[in-house]
């Protein structure tokens, strides 16, 4: 294990250079994002091995305080950290233990929960998924019905979760469950930690439009969960879950995926000899200008947070803009490729190997997850009209 360096003691430029150099030397070339897989994600052993390597070399959990094993970076250095991952073409990992559960436990967990779970998140002994959505409780999450009833030292959990990303790759799930009925439905929800090996749990993968089994249904049938796995107060899980939403939307709003789709668009226009097609070039110019504007907006909001601000409702703008831009670009890529765009699987366009169907389909859900875009518009409208929040 490398000695933990305090990166806040070195300049931003020095930090950037060190991380860049390390990434170039250590991220496996065959797992990089490229035109073929512009939004590539790591799964299973590839993900665990990569996160382990980051951990062993002191590059894991940039936002966690150093006392809990993280890097303790300021927001500005976290931005550099993410920029360098993107710059190096490092495939993304959906690491909800690091990005969501760890910060939640640091903020709302007990000392015992932090001691038990945080080190295992860092080492990847535990891989976590998020069990919030249910059939009938997505945007209106507070309508969730999966119940947890106290029975001596346990909760007994019954119900179903859906769209649980990578539950089939995970060892544990953090969940919102109904523990009480109150006139305000956000009350009576609690935050529970559950080992997915507990008897009574069934995981059924769902194949998405791109052909990947990336999310699942998870069924709970009289599942006994130790009461000590409750995070925060009983019936107050809504506040526990909401504590982190602002930062989640900042990272989800990153312009990087749209940037990769635009790079592919430029390559396709060249390979398909479309540079004389005024209609195509006008659309490309518009999309490029939109991405340029968006990068400036993203930088402005991030710099505001780095200068000591808190993520406010404007982060909803990021989620909206980034997701719609990505869809616009992947649609453009598929359309200009004409007959190639309809092929499912790999196709060679000039010297470039692409899978246009995959990049198009992988961009479809971005307007739905992490708060559907209509809901983000609602949040923005309420802020502008100064209406009361739920
Ligand atoms: C790829 C992907 C991964 C996901 N991963 C997870 C996960 O790991 N864990 C998890 O818990 N969940 C996950 N989800 C679920 C996600 O959070 C929900 O899909 C999302 O909250 C929307 O809920 P819903 O699907 O039930 O749609 P609904 O809420 O039924 O919405 C359907 C449509 O109606 C619109 N709508 C709903 N309410 C309103 C309103 N009040 N005003 C205007 N329009 C409205 C929505 O915008 C949407 O267009 C994932 C979803 C996707 C697509």
């Amino acid at each position: 294990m490398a000695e933990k360096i305090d990166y806040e003691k070195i300049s931003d430029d020095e930090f950037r250079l060190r991380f860049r150099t390390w990434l170039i030397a250590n991220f496996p070339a065959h797992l990089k994002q490229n035109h073929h897989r512009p939004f590539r994600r790591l799964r299973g052993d590839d993900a665990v091995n990569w996160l382990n390597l980051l951990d062993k070399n002191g590059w894991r959990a940039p936002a966690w305080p150093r006392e809990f094993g993280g890097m303790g970076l300021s927001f500005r250095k976290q931005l550099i950290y993410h920029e360098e991952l993107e710059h190096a073409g490092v495939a993304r990992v959906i690491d909800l233990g690091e990005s969501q559960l760890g910060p939640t436990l640091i903020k709302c967990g007990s000392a015992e929960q932090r001691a038990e779970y945080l080190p295992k998140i860092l080492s990847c002994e535990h891989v976590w998924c998020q069990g919030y959505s249910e059939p009938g409780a997505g945007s209106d999450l507070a309508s969730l019905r999966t119940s947890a009833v106290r029975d001596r030292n346990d909760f007994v959990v019954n119900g179903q979760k859906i769209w649980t990303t990578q539950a089939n790759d995970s060892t544990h799930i953090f969940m919102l469950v109904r523990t009480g009925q109150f006139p305000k439905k956000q009350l009576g929800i609690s935050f529970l930690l559950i080992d997915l090996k507990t008897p009574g749990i069934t995981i059924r993968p769902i194949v998405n439009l791109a052909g990947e089994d990336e999310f699942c249904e998870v069924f709970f049938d009289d599942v006994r969960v130790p009461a000590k796995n409750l995070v925060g107060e009983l019936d107050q899980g809504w506040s526990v879950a909401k504590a982190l939403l602002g930062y989640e939307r900042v990272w989800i709003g990153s312009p990087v995926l749209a940037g990769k789709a635009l790079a592919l668009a430029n390559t396709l226009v060249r390979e398909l000899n479309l540079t004389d097609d005024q209609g195509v070039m006008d659309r490309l110019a518009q999309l490029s200008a939109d991405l340029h504007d968006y990068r400036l907006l993203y930088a402005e909001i991030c710099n505001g947070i780095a200068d000591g601000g808190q993520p406010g409702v404007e982060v909803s703008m990021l989620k909206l803009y980034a997701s719609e831009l990505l869809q616009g670009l992947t649609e453009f890529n598929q359309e200009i490729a004409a007959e190639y765009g309809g092929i499912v699987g790999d196709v060679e366009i000039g010297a470039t190997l692409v899978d246009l169907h995959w990049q198009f389909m992988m961009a479809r859900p971005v307007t739905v997850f992490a708060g559907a875009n209509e809901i983000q518009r609602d949040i923005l409208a309420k802020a502008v009209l100064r209406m009361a929040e739920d």
Side-chain angles (χ1 to χ4, degrees), residues 41 96 129-141 161-166 208 214-215 365-375 378:
R41 288 179 187 153
L96 297 176
C129 58
Q130 180 202 59
Y132 289 1
S133 306
E134 297 180 4
S139 302
D140 184 16
L141 184 57
K161 296 291 173 182
I162 194 166
W163 314 126
T164 317
T165 298
Q166 295 180 3
N208 69 14
E214 85 159 12
F215 41 35
V366 293
T367 47
V368 178
F369 62 66
N373 282 19
E374 290 78 7
I375 302 301
D378 238 22

Side-chain angles (χ1 to χ4, degrees), residues 90-110:
V90 171
R92 292 175 305 146
V93 181
I94 297 177
D95 183 13
L96 297 176
E98 190 260 337
S99 63
Q100 292 195 18
L101 180 63
T104 303
L105 292 179
I106 289 168
K107 209 165 178 176
C108 311
S110 66

